Amino acid sequence: MKYLLSGYYGFGNAGDEAVLAAILEAVSAQSPGERFIVTSGDPAATEACHNTSQHPVEAVPRQQPRALLQAIRSCDVFISGGGSLLQDVTSLRNVVYYTGLMRLARLSRKPVVVYAQGMGPLRRTLSQKLARVAVQGARIVTVRDEESKALLRRIGVRRTIEVTADPVWALNIGPEDISKWDLKPPVWGVSLRPWPNARDPLEATRAVETIQKAAFEANANACFFVMQKAQDLAVIDGSEANIHAQEEDIYGLFGRDEDPRGSMARAGQCDVMIAMRLHALIFAAAQRVPCVAINYDPKVEALARLIGAPLLQDLSESELARLPAAVAQARPISAERLADLQRLARRNAELAVSVEA
């Protein structure tokens, strides 16, 4: 069987690369010997990171119509996901692109699997129509949270939808993925990104100093996780050259050159994770590290409720003043809840491999 995986891959986003790694791992565990085609913004990087003897990966350029059409025609099952693909906050083009590929797959008579997606926001009428038609026509639909299912119901999707969990909850970390660091505990993991539509463009950058100060006052070390280099480094310091010059003296800075398992392993060595990035929170919570979430997007608020994490509403001075109390309040996810999320994450692969071409 050959699977075609469509997602936001090959753009240096540690969360999306972890999603891809988790899907490849889970599907291969369910059905060894399968082959995979992955649409990618950087096919060479995708193959270098994800192609293994356990799951052979061929990456194709995601913006070359001829290569995409050939890949769709050669696959047996088309998988859309995971991550937040069908959303129009950044651009309507996201919805047009991903639903367009799903439509091409159906026209080519390939079964479509919507794999643990987080849906929305879908603010435009056209976005809602495109998503409704695409999801309604899929063979199997799983979403990573109840909020995504509710959104699909609101826009008119009436087919069976199964709520599972983000694939990364079940991503395995081996001893080879763990490397030592020199930061003395306690360590506060921190993952920030530019605040969307912020009235003050420097708000997130100033938050770095506030969090560092709070860590210092708690006798802790702040370790900054770069989940997407182009965006996150700009928050930590206005210049990448400056951050490189300062990082050994000021910052614990991880994630720029590591594969997703390496970044996840680092998160597991923190004493608490303070994060805007969804997958930085999952990286940590999946290893029972307490978390504090910062609510820049509905998906982060949904995850905070799921894992029982304290939630800061924004990066304002008043909210960040609550950080020390939130850190003290944070607790690891229960072992029982974690086991349930890992089971649900594997359920996505069970359903995907049950599809017959």
Side-chain angles (χ1 to χ4, degrees):
M1 190 83 78
K2 182 186 289 187
Y3 295 89
L4 174 57
L5 275 58
S6 165
Y8 188 69
Y9 309 131
F11 290 96
N13 184 299
D16 289 289
E17 296 306 315
V19 166
L20 176 56
I23 294 175
L24 294 169
E25 180 180 280
V27 172
S28 297
Q30 290 291 327
S31 184
E34 306 294 12
R35 294 172 295 158
F36 300 90
I37 309 172
V38 176
T39 63
S40 174
D42 187 342
T46 295
E47 290 184 3
C49 183
H50 297 285
N51 183 39
T52 71
S53 58
Q54 288 75 32
H55 41 71
V57 169
E58 173 194 353
V60 297
R62 57 179 271 138
Q63 294 295 348
Q64 291 189 10
R66 182 175 296 179
L68 287 172
L69 185 58
Q70 183 178 350
I72 289 172
R73 287 174 173 170
S74 69
C75 78
D76 298 300
V77 177
F78 181 97
I79 294 178
S80 179
S84 302
L85 304 182
L86 302 187
Q87 55 85 15
D88 58 11
V89 172
T90 53
S91 173
L92 173 63
R93 291 192 296 269
N94 293 315
V95 183
V96 173
Y97 176 81
Y98 290 113
T99 60
L101 291 185
M102 294 165 71
R103 177 174 172 78
L104 279 175
R106 290 190 64 208
L107 289 173
S108 300
R109 298 185 179 181
K110 307 298 182 179
V112 173
V113 176
V114 176
Y115 195 110
Q117 283 199 34
M119 296 292 172
L122 294 169
R123 298 173 177 173
R124 298 170 174 87
T125 301
L126 178 58
S127 300
Q128 295 173 10
K129 179 180 179 180
L130 291 172
R132 178 174 64 251
V133 172
V135 174
Q136 187 69 35
R139 183 79 62 87
I140 288 175
V141 178
T142 67
V143 293
R144 68 187 178 196
D145 50 49
E146 291 286 350
E147 289 80 2
S148 294
K149 180 177 180 178
L151 173 58
L152 290 177
R153 290 289 185 241
R154 285 198 302 273
I155 67 173
V157 177
R158 294 293 174 256
R159 53 150 303 116
T160 300
I161 302 168
E162 185 166 337
V163 179
T164 54
D166 191 287
V168 178
W169 285 106
L171 183 63
N172 288 309
I173 301 297
E176 68 279 4
D177 300 309
I178 301 173
S179 56
K180 295 181 180 180
W181 56 15
D182 296 328
L183 293 179
K184 296 179 181 179
V187 174
W188 289 11
V190 183
S191 176
L192 301 178
R193 53 155 292 158
W195 192 272
N197 303 317
R199 285 175 293 181
D200 181 354
L202 297 178
E203 184 178 54
T205 300
R206 282 199 293 267
V208 172
E209 299 177 5
T210 303
I211 293 171
Q212 282 183 309
K213 181 180 178 182
F216 178 79
E217 292 174 349
N219 198 31
N221 285 296
C223 166
F224 289 86
F225 282 75
V226 178
M227 299 291 285
Q228 187 158 16
K229 182 177 179 179
Q231 294 184 6
D232 299 4
L233 276 177
V235 169
I236 296 170
D237 193 294
S239 164
E240 185 177 344
N242 288 342
I243 191 69
H244 285 177
Q246 299 177 31
E247 65 183 67
E248 291 186 3
D249 296 326
I250 299 176
Y251 300 103
L253 185 63
F254 299 102
R256 289 171 297 122
D257 301 312
E258 292 179 289
D259 63 58
R261 287 184 175 85
S263 294
M264 188 170 179
R266 286 287 194 190
Q269 298 177 63
C270 296
D271 296 282
V272 66
M273 176 61 74
I274 303 158
M276 295 171 66
R277 291 280 190 187
L278 180 82
H279 283 100
L281 293 166
I282 293 177
F283 282 0
Q287 298 171 88
R288 304 201 67 226
V289 172
C291 294
V292 175
I294 302 174
N295 184 23
Y296 89 95
D297 186 278
K299 64 187 180 184
V300 175
E301 184 176 10
L303 179 66
R305 285 197 298 269
L306 183 70
I307 65 177
L311 183 70
L312 304 184
Q313 291 300 328
D314 51 44
L315 292 176
S316 65
E317 186 177 347
S318 59
E319 280 296 285
L320 287 176
R322 299 175 47 225
L323 181 59
V327 169
Q329 178 190 350
R331 297 289 182 272
I333 188 173
S334 72
E336 294 78 13
R337 185 62 178 138
L338 176 57
D340 187 48
L341 288 168
Q342 291 171 335
R343 177 186 62 79
L344 289 170
R346 291 189 291 267
R347 172 68 174 159
N348 295 304
E350 293 173 9
L351 291 169
V353 301
S354 71
V355 173
E356 295 183 0

